[in-house]
Amino acid sequence: MAHSVNFDLTADHMEAGLESPADEEGVHDSFNQLIEDQRQEALELQELQRDLDEEERDSVAYLSSPGQEIWRGSPGRGEEEGGGQLDPLLEERWSSATLKVLSSMPSRTIGRSRGAIISQYYNRTMKLRRRRQSRPSIKDFSRSARPSIRGYGMETDCMETEGVDEEGRKRDQLVNNLQNLSLSDRVRMLRAMPLSVAEKSELRRLADRKGRRSNHSQIPCCSQLKYHIIIALRHSWYSCLSFLHSLQLWQVALKRVSGRFGTGVLSYFLFVKTLLFFNIFLFLVTGLLLAVPQAVHPPTLTQGHEAFSGLELLTGGGYFSDSVMYYGYYSNSTLSKDCRVTSSSMEQQPSPSVSRRTMETDCGVKPSYNMPLAYFFTIGLAFFITCIILVYSMSKSFGQSFRIDKSHGILAMKVFCSWDFKVIKKTSVKLRSENICIQLRELLEETSRKHVQKTACQRIGRVLVHVLAWFICIGSTVACVLALYYFSEYMHKDLQYRSRIPTKDPLLKEASLLALPVVVSLINLLLPGIFNATAWMEEYDSPSVNTYIAISRNLMLKVSVLVVLCFHWLGRIASDPHSIGLQCWESFVGQELYRFLLMDFIFTILDTFFGEFLWRLFSQRVLKRKRKPVFDISRNVLELIYGQTLAWLGVLFTPLLPAVQIIKLLLLFYMKQTSVMMNCQSPRKPYRASQMSTIFITLLCCPSFLGAAVCVSYTMWSIRPSESCGPFRSLSTMFQSGKLWVKELETHNPNLAWLAWAHSYIVENPLFLFLAAGIFLIVIYFNTQVVDGQRKIISLLQEQIENEGEDKKFLITRLQAIHQQKRPLSPRRLTSQASQDSNC
Amino acid sequence: MGTTASQLRKDLLSEYQVVMHVFFRAHKRFSELLSKEDRNVPTPRVPMEKVLSLPELKSNPFRKRICHVFSTSDMKDGSLTFEDFLDLLSAFSDSATLEIKSHYAFRIFDFDDDGTLDGGDLEKLVNCLTGETDDTRLTTEEMRQLISNILEESDIDKDGTVNLSEFQHVISRSPDFVRSVQI
């Protein structure tokens, strides 16, 4: 609706006998008089027709052309006050002139005609130009141009337009605007235009050609260079994209899944893909910066290498315990080529810095690699970059799914947006149609049902049921968590006991370490089943509330389990490692995390097999149900998030844990895909995929990544590293290595003293953090106020549009009434009058 | 057909919003749809029946409308040239903007091509959505109520039809739209 209706009042003025339209009061009065006259005549005519007419009359609220079914039975829609009623006697309710006017209204042609699209985009590019261009000074332009448009080069616009027809002129103006925009704006505008490709390429060619012609003469060479660089970058970017596309990571599989199940189930698999990329990034960083240098310079081992037995893959100990996989393998000194790597006893090297200097004097200038520093900064850097990527994707996803106006247009939205064009299999299409029908019926029922006031009894009953359900859920969670706590304590004591007594059976000792992971995985598997069962007996107002409640209960369980585990590792094991005979508690914790990750994977396999495959067989053969079991998206995604939290917790202790997670995710993808295609069907309830994706990525960022980061920071900041293994063995905390390095820099290079100053006053001073938090809060407050203001503006604009609609209806019926009035005079004069009227 | 491909220059690719790899795949699929004698014609047209045999469109309830919207033939028979086919793929690709998708979706839903969605259009749309079989169709009473609810929610200027801007306004509230209008 880019154009407002042009009121051409000249004809009326001449009729009313006015001299000048500038006399506003005169205009208004005469117009009113004209309306009055018309109304009188129309009323007289209507009375005449009413006498003749005995058929049912329609209300004027719908201005649809009469060729289609006129919408009857719309009760409650009041007739408009203008009072123009349709003449049911005529075969065509609207005269052809009115129809022509109706069909060429801008709001109806914008969808179809190219000219309308071009003029709409002309206006948009004009607005964009005005916004982008800074105003040049008035002196540079000739006096004849109007002051308001002098700054925008509009003169040249007018002079360049050639071409007789309206569309051609508009097109030239559009091309002119495009050439005056910057390159990125031009590309963006062209991309968004809903024209056919041939026309877009023509526009682009014209815009580029004209731009180039004028640009060459006026703009200096560096902009030309910039232009060429941008084109070259774009070509290389497209070739890069095509290469990536040709890699086709899982594209075929994803298309099959989406073809059958739609966007909801697809979002689960896309989440797996996202997690895979995070882990690949982590693996590359830690692998290249930590594992590879250390593997090239293996440290001398104090005890012999254990033999490889199959149990290592499960427990992570044994053969793996003295490998580059765990923290304990990494040396605390600087590695260097072709030099003897200094041993790591405390007497010889009181600090890493001394070792570095001796390295330099011994070996001359050779590339040296300070391992403790590398370890510290690599972990820090990996976490920092992951944090940035997560926050960015979270905010992008949130921005897509958040809407300012909370108006309840569910039904219209459902009808317009619910068809998923990705679904191509015939049975799935049929299923989807059924689903849509059911959902529409449910929604209709909901909206049509008058708000039934539940009796007090029913309400109290519902509240009681909710309270009971929550009680069961929270109770079972607390019970399981306490059980876990005491079991971990028991296992700890058991380990202490075993470490004191010489081991008769080392295999049994290793296997007993698996008990805790098995218990945790069992809890994670069984308790959500209980939550689902309690959810059956509750009923909520809308299905989305159901999903949110299920997610929050599940989340609560997993968070409490992880808290207990962290306490077990950091509070019990790390504080007193010698009681269980550990030289290196970090490696032990790393092994524990490896075990947990692996057990989680094994239990997922078992759950897929029993929960999906066997359950489908059972429900189809024994229970004789027609429908297959539903794929529970939220539960599976929360499992993934749990696994990823473990991986993030473990990176500090086991730098190669992301590799394990990558293998696990790859296997999981194929397994779940096969299982879904064989055993499941898409959920019946409407699944808002993008809102759910936002929630999942928020959950990945907030409790999952944040918790892992807090844990890791706590470990680095306050826990004492073990004294006989690892890169931080001689320090009181891991963080100290960074501090020592900064001090060393200061002593070597007094110019960098500001770094130390910055560190002590900014990083370690809480006041800075308070200030930063305060500023963020203020910014958030301002933004919420802006959103509130926008909501108000939206409701005002809606009112205004309604008023404009009333105006339109009024004018059309007036037009119709005029034609009707002139009709009885003579048919020929009427047609000539009609054609004359349609021109104005 | 080879000549047509080389005529379309490489710099047009950015307009098509599909990557070169996809471009050649589309080209291959289009030429598969052509009959033998049409292959040597400079700008061949694929008749609508052949287009409807594509797996992506075969079971889609809007398949005929899609063909009609993207077709540039003068006889309005829904046949597509290669450029029309690329337009189709481009509009349904995942890099097309919301604006383009909503524009084309509006035209697809506008069954009588009058530029607005009125009661008849909405009725046909709902029938397409709910399927062909009798037990999934809504009754007349339900249909009437549904359409009046839809108009009440989305018709801002209260003229009894949903025009493009009102349609885009409804669409903008649904973040899933871009993802679901993809092939």
Side-chain angles (χ1 to χ4, degrees), chain A residues 176-277:
Chain A
N176 194 12
N177 278 347
L178 281 175
Q179 101 195 45
N180 281 316
L181 290 173
S182 72
L183 190 67
S184 55
D185 280 339
R186 193 188 313 164
V187 166
R188 213 163 15 100
M189 267 294 155
L190 276 168
R191 265 193 70 175
M193 279 196 220
L195 294 169
S196 82
V197 173
E199 285 159 8
K200 272 202 266 198
S201 64
E202 186 62 30
L203 280 173
R204 183 145 172 269
R205 194 178 58 82
L206 285 172
D208 276 349
R209 185 187 65 185
K210 282 193 181 172
R212 231 173 274 158
R213 215 194 308 144
S214 55
N215 281 355
H216 273 291
S217 52
Q218 291 166 12
I219 296 178
C221 61
C222 48
S223 291
Q224 261 185 52
L225 190 65
K226 192 173 92 170
Y227 182 75
H228 286 306
I229 287 177
I230 289 174
I231 298 282
L233 277 175
R234 205 143 46 102
H235 276 307
S236 57
W237 173 241
Y238 280 128
S239 42
C240 213
L241 269 185
S242 73
F243 172 66
L244 281 177
H245 272 262
S246 67
L247 281 183
Q248 285 206 7
L249 183 66
W250 296 336
Q251 251 190 13
V252 175
L254 286 175
K255 186 149 183 193
R256 258 195 300 154
V257 168
S258 71
R260 227 169 104 179
F261 295 98
T263 337
V265 175
L266 185 67
S267 65
Y268 169 78
F269 291 97
L270 288 175
F271 197 71
V272 172
K273 208 165 142 182
T274 318
L275 285 180
L276 187 74
F277 287 135

Side-chain angles (χ1 to χ4, degrees), chain B residues 50-140:
Chain B
K50 286 276 184 69
V51 179
L52 294 182
S53 68
L54 282 172
E56 285 91 346
L57 293 181
K58 208 167 28 172
S59 320
N60 196 322
F62 299 105
R63 54 190 180 273
K64 295 213 176 93
R65 280 300 305 160
I66 292 176
C67 285
H68 279 292
V69 164
F70 285 98
S71 158
T72 50
S73 89
D74 301 318
M75 295 176 291
K76 304 272 182 250
D77 60 357
S79 56
L80 301 180
T81 62
F82 182 54
E83 290 199 358
D84 297 338
F85 187 63
L86 270 181
D87 269 337
L88 200 159
L89 287 180
S90 163
F92 280 102
S93 76
D94 51 4
S95 52
T97 57
L98 174 67
E99 179 139 350
I100 293 187
K101 283 191 198 283
S102 61
H103 179 97
Y104 281 111
F106 181 77
R107 284 176 65 186
I108 290 173
F109 293 156
D110 187 11
F111 284 83
D112 53 7
D113 266 331
D114 65 350
T116 56
L117 304 179
D118 52 11
D121 286 331
L122 289 173
E123 186 173 341
K124 288 202 194 107
L125 171 63
V126 172
N127 281 332
C128 277
L129 284 177
T130 54
E132 313 291 312
T133 57
D134 277 330
D135 54 348
T136 52
R137 283 197 175 219
L138 299 180
T139 63
T140 19

Side-chain angles (χ1 to χ4, degrees), chain A residues 62 68 73 108 111 121 124 191 194 196-197 201 204 403 412 415 421-422 424 437 441 448 690 802 808, chain B residues 12 15-16 59 87 95 99-100 107 112 115 118 136-137 144-145 153 156 159-160 172 175-176 179-180:
Chain A
Y62 294 105
Q68 297 141 4
R108 296 196 183 194
Y121 275 88
R124 286 192 191 176
R191 265 193 70 175
S196 82
V197 173
S201 64
R204 183 145 172 269
R403 293 290 156 233
V415 168
F421 283 76
K422 281 207 189 101
I424 50 184
C437 179
R441 283 202 175 122
S448 70
S690 115
E802 262 187 59
K808 187 171 75 172
Chain B
L12 288 181
E15 262 77 274
Y16 287 119
S59 320
D87 269 337
S95 52
E99 179 139 350
I100 293 187
R107 284 176 65 186
D112 53 7
D118 52 11
T136 52
R137 283 197 175 219
R144 189 195 58 76
Q145 196 189 353
E153 284 170 7
I156 306 180
D159 65 349
S172 70
D176 290 325
R179 251 179 269 195
S180 57

